[in-house]
Amino acid sequence: MYTLYFLPDACSLATQVVLRELGQEVSLIHKQQVSDFSRINPVGTVPVLHDPDNGQTLREGAAIMIHLLEKHPNPMFPHNDANARLQAIRNIMFANATMHPAYSRLFFASSAIHDTDARQAFFANAANAISALWQVVENQLQEQPFLGGEQPSAADIMLSVYSRWGAAFPVNIQIGEKTSAMIDRVLAMDSFKQALKAEQQAADALR
Ligand SMILES: N[C@@H](CCC(=O)N[C@@H](CS)C(=O)NCC(=O)O)C(=O)O
């Protein structure tokens, strides 16, 4: 069984949803359960995934995602069409390396900028940058319901997880109509609901 180190509502939620979509069992370990997490990941971030089949402990969300999608044949990741595969990887990287860091600025500013006006100005700029990225997603969704085409891909799941983060900040992030519909469909997936429930149970067990 896979072991996933997680934080509630963090990007590790997308890893867990994809594991469930792939029909894989997963045991969750809350980051706060680990006395010295730097031994698991020197960078200090989740997700971290232990793969029992190769004995490796993997870090970096996009690398974990691609490893899982390649290992477990599935309709979310094209295996025989090189161009479609490249697009799927591009979408994963857009989510992980472009959209996620854009949201990370909000978390950073809330702890690093103490002057209220300066912080709010930073939030507004960061929110504009995030909205511009959602417009890129909206443009991609004009002809298809998901970035993955007719069905949700790992990138759709990752973006849907990040879309929940804006609510924690005093910001106005614009998400287009087709993108909102994509997110609603992803949040309604059984795997997503089960993953949220499993996170909640693991977090409750810590109290
Ligand atoms: N590039 C890393 C970034 C991961 C990341 O920033 N994770 C956040 C949660 S979404 C985290 O673990 N932050 C540390 C913390 O909140 O303790 C990856 O994709 O795995």
Side-chain angles (χ1 to χ4, degrees):
M1 190 193 301
Y2 286 100
T3 303
L4 176 65
Y5 294 85
F6 83 105
L7 278 167
D9 266 327
C11 50
S12 43
L13 178 59
T15 318
Q16 196 205 149
V17 175
V18 167
L19 278 164
R20 289 175 185 273
E21 281 296 308
L22 298 176
Q24 300 304 308
E25 288 192 39
V26 56
S27 158
L28 297 182
I29 299 184
H30 197 300
K31 182 185 166 186
Q32 286 170 7
Q33 264 176 272
V34 183
S35 57
D36 183 5
F37 190 74
S38 66
R39 290 178 61 190
I40 308 279
N41 182 1
V43 180
T45 54
V46 295
V48 174
L49 186 77
H50 179 71
D51 183 336
D53 298 320
N54 63 12
Q56 286 190 31
T57 299
L58 309 167
R59 53 184 196 255
E60 287 299 329
I64 292 171
M65 214 55 106
I66 292 167
H67 170 67
L68 290 172
L69 293 167
E70 283 186 330
K71 183 175 162 190
H72 302 285
N74 68 89
M76 278 193 290
F77 199 65
H79 286 256
N80 301 321
D81 180 338
N83 192 41
R85 191 173 172 280
L86 189 58
Q87 282 184 32
I89 293 174
R90 182 202 62 193
N91 290 337
I92 289 171
M93 295 314 300
F94 170 81
N96 180 260
T98 301
M99 187 67 92
H100 184 313
Y103 272 96
S104 295
R105 289 184 202 129
L106 297 174
F107 292 93
F108 183 77
S110 67
S111 62
I113 305 179
H114 301 291
D115 179 81
T116 315
D117 291 343
R119 187 170 60 231
Q120 193 52 42
F122 185 99
F123 276 155
N125 278 319
N128 285 344
I130 294 169
S131 298
L133 296 178
W134 283 120
Q135 185 58 50
V136 173
V137 177
E138 183 73 8
N139 295 345
Q140 259 184 276
L141 294 178
Q142 290 307 304
E143 309 295 334
Q144 55 191 50
F146 299 101
L147 293 180
E150 293 306 313
Q151 60 198 358
S153 66
D156 295 286
I157 293 166
M158 295 162 88
L159 290 170
S160 298
V161 167
Y162 312 155
S163 74
R164 295 156 51 90
W165 295 344
F169 303 95
V171 289
N172 181 14
I173 292 171
Q174 304 291 326
I175 298 184
E177 200 178 313
K178 291 191 186 290
T179 310
S180 295
M182 176 277 280
I183 292 168
D184 287 346
R185 286 189 210 105
V186 170
L187 301 189
M189 286 162 56
D190 284 345
S191 56
F192 204 101
K193 293 187 210 158
Q194 286 161 4
L196 276 178
K197 197 168 160 194
E199 280 197 348
Q200 187 65 53
Q201 284 168 347
D204 287 348
L206 259 190
R207 292 198 189 123

